[in-house]
């Protein structure tokens, strides 16, 4: 059988199993807001004007949604499904804003794995330190086959 019949064999982390979970935690900062603004130009005053933000329904400065969901990028690219993974589709609902200085946890859980292609459907969730959901949704990912197994066959671990 060829590796094209088992596309997950060519991925760095291999085929994930349904039910597998991974998470990452991060405390947001004003530097996150500033870096996101540098990348995107998003200068919404709700991210920068503390007086205005304090009078808003949020009660203080909040980070951009991209800062919040960016943690999911790290989970899928580094942990599960792993290196070489990119998003094909996301469907996220923002249910609670994330304040500057809040600790958030991004979690993914494998819901479905295709055997013919390195594609997964994931349940995604970002919660604050109190466990309140801030972002809920799903994502479909593709994991690039970065290994060339035929090159690995002739290698030896002994040097």
């Amino acid at each position: 059988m060829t590796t094209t019949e088992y596309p997950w064999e060519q991925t760095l982390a291999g085929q994930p199993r349904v039910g597998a979970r991974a998470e990452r935690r991060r405390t947001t900062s004003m530097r996150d807001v500033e870096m996101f603004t540098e990348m995107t130009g998003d200068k919404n005053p709700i991210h920068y004007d503390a007086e205005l933000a304090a009078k808003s329904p949020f009660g203080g400065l909040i980070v951009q949604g991209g800062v919040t969901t960016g943690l999911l990028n790290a989970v899928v690219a580094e942990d599960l499904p792993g290196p070489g993974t990119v998003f094909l589709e996301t469907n996220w609902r923002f249910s609670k804003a994330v304040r500057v200085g809040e600790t958030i946890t991004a979690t993914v859980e494998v819901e479905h794995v295709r055997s013919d292609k390195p594609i997964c459907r994931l349940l995604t969730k970002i919660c604050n330190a109190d466990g309140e959901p801030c972002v809920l949704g799903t994502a479909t990912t593709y994991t690039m086959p970065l290994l060339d197994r035929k090159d690995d066959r002739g290698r030896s671990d002994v040097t």
Side-chain angles (χ1 to χ4, degrees), residues 2-159:
T2 67
T3 54
T4 55
E5 293 176 42
Y6 300 107
W8 286 101
E9 287 185 4
Q10 293 179 292
T11 64
L12 293 176
Q15 183 172 343
R17 69 182 190 340
V18 171
R21 294 170 53 106
E23 67 179 37
R24 283 191 175 228
R25 182 173 290 115
R26 175 178 177 74
T27 300
T28 64
S29 68
M30 200 60 208
R31 181 67 184 136
D32 295 333
V33 171
E34 294 163 354
M35 290 173 59
F36 193 82
T37 296
E38 285 178 34
M39 290 186 318
T40 67
D42 179 354
K43 297 178 186 176
N44 188 332
I46 201 70
H47 308 305
Y48 286 97
D49 187 329
E51 187 177 323
L52 177 140
K55 297 175 187 174
S56 77
F58 305 122
L61 295 173
I62 62 171
V63 300
Q64 296 97 327
V67 170
T68 303
T69 58
L71 197 51
L72 288 168
N73 291 64
V75 176
V76 303
E78 300 295 327
D79 305 315
L80 183 70
T85 302
V86 296
F87 287 119
L88 294 177
E89 178 181 297
T90 59
N91 181 11
W92 291 327
R93 181 177 178 272
F94 291 79
S95 55
K96 185 171 182 53
V98 174
R99 299 266 306 265
V100 173
E102 270 194 285
T103 299
I104 56 174
T105 302
T107 306
V108 302
E109 181 178 341
V110 178
E111 183 180 48
H112 177 75
V113 179
R114 286 183 55 173
S115 59
D116 63 325
K117 294 181 181 181
I119 293 176
C120 288
R121 182 164 174 81
L122 308 172
L123 300 174
T124 58
K125 174 174 65 172
I126 300 172
C127 293
N128 63 19
D130 293 328
E132 300 169 309
C134 301
V135 179
L136 294 170
T138 60
T140 302
T141 60
Y142 174 78
T143 304
M144 289 179 249
L146 300 176
L147 295 178
D148 185 357
R149 292 288 186 195
K150 61 184 170 209
D151 287 347
D152 292 342
R153 286 188 195 129
R155 294 187 186 161
S156 171
D157 292 320
V158 181
T159 55

